Amino acid sequence: MVLAKSSFLLLLLALLQISTSIWPASSASIFDDFAKCVSLNSNLSDTSLSQAFYTPTNSAFDSVLQSSAQNLRCLEPSVPKPEFIFTPFHDSHVQAAVICSKKLGTYFRVRSGGHDYEGLSYISEIETPFIIVDLAKLRSVDVDIQSNSAWIQTGATIGEVYYRIHQKSKVHGFPAGLCNSLGIGGHITGGAYGSLMRKYGLGADNVVDARIVDANGKILDRSAMGEDLFWAIRGGGGASFGVILWWKINLVPVPETVTVFTVTKTLEQGATKLLHRWQQVVDKLDEDLFIRVLIQPEGNVTTKRTISTSYNSLFLGDANRLLQVAEQSFPELGLTRKDCIETTWIDSVLYIAGYPSGTKPEVLLEGKSAFKNYFKAKSDFVREPIPEAGLEGLWKRLLEEESPLSIWTPYGGKMSKIPESEIPFPHRNGTIFMIQYLSLWQDEKEDATKHIDWIRKLYNYMGQYVSKLPREAYVNYRDLDLGINNKSSVSFVEASVWGTSISRTTSIDW
């Protein structure tokens, strides 16, 4: 058995990181030593230094720590907190942070958007004490319509990227995420999928250059880093190979008029048979048509609960052509003209993200997550349609949980045409759709254990219907149940679990 490029690199990296880790200095001296070192290795003045560092004694520390964190479970008092947060103003400051961390033996986490599902961009259970290098102040977006490209600084959100493209052109877009507060840095390292993926592939498929800081504090572009490293940082969680500073992306054409719709069916309205049919056709639909399904219980304790399945869609064209495509390929959905909303691409971004009708695109500049909950999440990839009996078992389990959500994202189209070795994202031809499972709760007093136990049982149940040998997972939906580095006991077998899940084994030799 030969590992895919991405599996090998990820596993090798994990072992190298373990074998070369440096024990941090006394936490009492970390801040003073680090700040002095950064000042000596960059152009940060004393005034700028005071604006770049946030310590627990600073009144803004908690707000900065929580600013982009998505999973409230990772902010609880019992969770380890950083010694301080460093917010660079310039690429050279990131260089200095890497140089000084290495020199002082200071362990650090890098955060661009803070959407890591297990909070690993802002917490550390193993390596303590630790610091956070938060790239939120590095958010320039330079769009060049003439070359159909843009240079994006890693702290920018995907919403900001969409908006800046929209400012320059109404017929250009970029195939990335559905959640607009995602930080572009980590988003692309895991692939970056969204409603344009069936037409143009992933965000990572459309990256043509990058600038990173390597472990020696050097800034490298594509030419300087070489094609192997450039390959490795796109799609397989490649942020571990360096600190991403900039991505250069190719823009893609979008029509002046696109069409969106949401059609909802409950169990009483034939949701089971319709979802079974969706699985059979969704990866074969016209590549201009993206239809995902949002699945959750409907009703409350005073009414009978049922399952709601919402078909949430973007079509790259007008409503008339959409209706023709739907009637030909998926008539069971029963799509009508009154279901269809013709709009612009930028407004479709807002629609898919769940903003109310009439929301102005400027909201994308706020960079705030509308999704802040306590939650636990898992993911799967599906290669054969799940039978109706399997769906009925899923409904039963969803109805047992207070506030679950499952999102089914379609593949096919361009995703099936790009070889799985092109970048470290192997979930390509043969994948029908991806599943995301979430258990959500809002009350900090809730017993997290019962929700986590529920989703683990659901995940075990779904194992019979999803990809096998290995069971695949999406790297950007981090799930520590699949594997975690144990500093006191290093095992290649244990380290390989996560890598093989996100990077399927293949016959590729390199």
Side-chain angles (χ1 to χ4, degrees):
M1 180 176 68
V2 181
L3 288 178
K5 232 181 188 183
S6 49
S7 288
F8 178 83
L9 286 171
L10 287 167
L11 298 179
L12 178 60
L13 177 70
L15 294 177
L16 284 174
Q17 286 178 325
I18 293 168
S19 64
T20 60
S21 66
I22 305 169
W23 291 101
S26 168
S27 59
S29 63
I30 287 178
F31 174 72
D32 288 341
D33 291 345
F34 189 89
K36 184 183 298 182
C37 180
V38 167
S39 180
L40 291 173
N41 284 276
S42 72
N43 61 355
L44 268 176
S45 65
D46 291 341
T47 302
S48 296
L49 274 173
S50 66
Q51 297 171 346
F53 285 95
Y54 299 86
T55 67
T57 59
N58 187 303
S59 60
F61 177 82
D62 286 341
S63 63
V64 173
L65 177 62
Q66 298 172 21
S67 59
S68 62
Q70 188 183 31
N71 193 345
L72 299 179
R73 185 166 59 90
C74 301
L75 293 174
E76 293 180 338
S78 60
V79 174
K81 302 298 186 294
E83 297 296 305
F84 58 86
I85 302 169
F86 177 49
T87 58
F89 293 98
H90 189 270
D91 292 355
S92 64
H93 305 160
V94 182
Q95 280 185 286
V98 172
I99 291 168
C100 294
S101 294
K102 185 174 183 179
K103 179 180 179 180
L104 300 172
T106 306
Y107 187 77
F108 72 92
R109 294 291 197 189
V110 180
R111 182 169 78 171
S112 56
H115 277 235
D116 189 296
Y117 274 17
E118 300 280 11
L120 297 191
S121 60
Y122 49 94
I123 66 172
S124 175
E125 296 279 0
I126 298 175
E127 299 278 7
T128 55
F130 71 102
I131 68 171
I132 293 175
V133 178
D134 190 326
L135 307 177
K137 293 176 180 175
L138 304 177
R139 53 197 323 130
S140 174
V141 180
D142 184 11
V143 177
D144 184 354
I145 294 299
Q146 287 189 332
S147 66
N148 290 316
S149 67
W151 274 103
I152 307 165
Q153 224 169 1
T154 192
T157 65
I158 192 61
E160 288 175 303
V161 174
Y162 292 155
Y163 183 83
R164 298 306 178 194
I165 295 171
H166 159 72
Q167 278 187 308
K168 295 290 185 71
S169 170
K170 306 301 184 282
V171 292
H172 287 79
F174 182 62
L178 304 168
C179 181
N180 299 305
S181 59
L182 285 163
I184 197 71
H187 184 42
I188 288 180
T189 64
Y193 76 87
S195 56
L196 295 179
M197 64 189 287
R198 301 192 68 253
K199 181 71 172 183
Y200 296 114
L202 305 169
D205 292 321
N206 292 275
V207 168
V208 294
D209 205 341
R211 294 188 187 122
I212 72 170
V213 179
D214 72 3
N216 295 315
K218 294 182 179 179
I219 294 181
L220 308 175
D221 62 7
R222 178 174 182 173
S223 176
M225 74 179 77
E227 288 304 301
D228 283 348
L229 183 52
F230 182 64
W231 177 90
I233 62 176
R234 296 170 295 147
S240 295
F241 292 95
V243 181
I244 310 295
L245 295 175
W246 296 81
W247 294 113
K248 185 180 182 182
I249 62 170
N250 271 340
L251 308 182
V252 301
V254 293
E256 289 187 11
T257 299
V258 304
T259 307
V260 295
F261 69 81
T262 301
V263 172
T264 300
K265 301 290 184 182
T266 63
L267 295 185
E268 294 74 17
Q269 296 169 323
T272 304
K273 289 188 178 299
L274 183 59
L275 188 59
H276 186 251
R277 180 59 180 162
W278 175 88
Q279 296 178 81
Q280 296 172 319
V281 303
V282 72
D283 61 321
K284 306 172 188 66
L285 296 174
D286 188 307
E287 64 183 18
D288 287 338
L289 181 56
F290 170 91
I291 308 177
R292 66 173 181 165
V293 189
L294 287 75
I295 305 169
Q296 57 193 331
E298 183 179 279
N300 53 51
V301 292
T302 61
T303 62
K304 181 181 178 182
R305 293 181 95 202
T306 186
I307 295 295
S308 167
T309 60
S310 293
Y311 294 80
N312 182 233
S313 176
L314 168 66
F315 178 70
L316 299 176
D318 61 31
N320 288 335
R321 190 163 77 87
L322 167 59
L323 289 170
Q324 293 174 4
V325 170
E327 178 60 30
Q328 180 181 4
S329 306
F330 192 22
E332 295 85 356
L333 183 60
L335 187 68
T336 66
R337 181 62 181 83
K338 68 178 183 179
D339 297 319
C340 303
I341 303 171
E342 291 185 336
T343 187
T344 62
W345 174 73
I346 194 66
D347 283 332
S348 79
V349 168
L350 300 173
Y351 178 89
I352 295 291
Y355 287 99
S357 177
T359 301
K360 300 298 182 183
E362 284 71 22
V363 72
L364 298 173
L365 299 176
E366 294 180 2
K368 295 180 180 179
S369 175
F371 185 89
K372 278 185 179 283
N373 296 276
Y374 296 87
F375 69 89
K376 174 67 180 177
K378 292 180 174 291
S379 62
D380 267 317
F381 288 85
V382 178
R383 294 176 165 269
E384 297 289 339
I386 300 170
E388 289 186 30
L391 296 178
E392 289 167 355
L394 174 60
W395 308 152
K396 177 183 176 182
R397 287 160 176 80
L398 289 174
L399 289 170
E400 292 172 351
E401 177 67 352
E402 295 173 24
S403 184
L405 173 66
S406 187
I407 304 173
W408 295 18
T409 301
Y411 275 54
K414 183 73 169 180
M415 291 297 294
S416 294
K417 299 173 184 176
I418 299 173
E420 65 179 44
S421 60
E422 186 71 17
I423 63 172
F425 188 95
H427 317 292
R428 301 285 190 174
N429 191 29
T431 297
I432 303 175
F433 60 97
M434 179 180 68
I435 300 178
Q436 180 179 188
Y437 318 92
L438 301 103
S439 176
L440 310 122
W441 62 101
Q442 285 287 346
D443 190 344
E444 62 182 7
K445 297 179 181 178
E446 282 262 7
D447 180 9
T449 303
K450 69 175 183 180
H451 299 292
I452 294 173
D453 286 346
W454 173 84
I455 200 170
R456 286 172 176 166
K457 290 176 182 177
L458 175 68
Y459 186 74
N460 289 338
Y461 166 76
M462 292 297 291
Q464 61 193 305
Y465 302 117
V466 299
S467 60
K468 299 176 179 64
L469 300 175
R471 184 174 183 175
E472 300 168 61
Y474 179 41
V475 62
N476 268 2
Y477 293 156
R478 189 101 61 183
D479 179 7
L480 293 182
D481 287 351
L482 299 182
I484 184 171
N485 285 337
N486 187 335
K487 191 171 182 177
S488 62
S489 176
V490 178
S491 164
F492 177 84
V493 175
E494 291 177 1
S496 70
V497 174
W498 177 243
T500 54
S501 293
I502 63 171
S503 307
R504 195 171 61 258
T505 53
T506 72
S507 59
I508 297 168
D509 197 1
W510 67 289

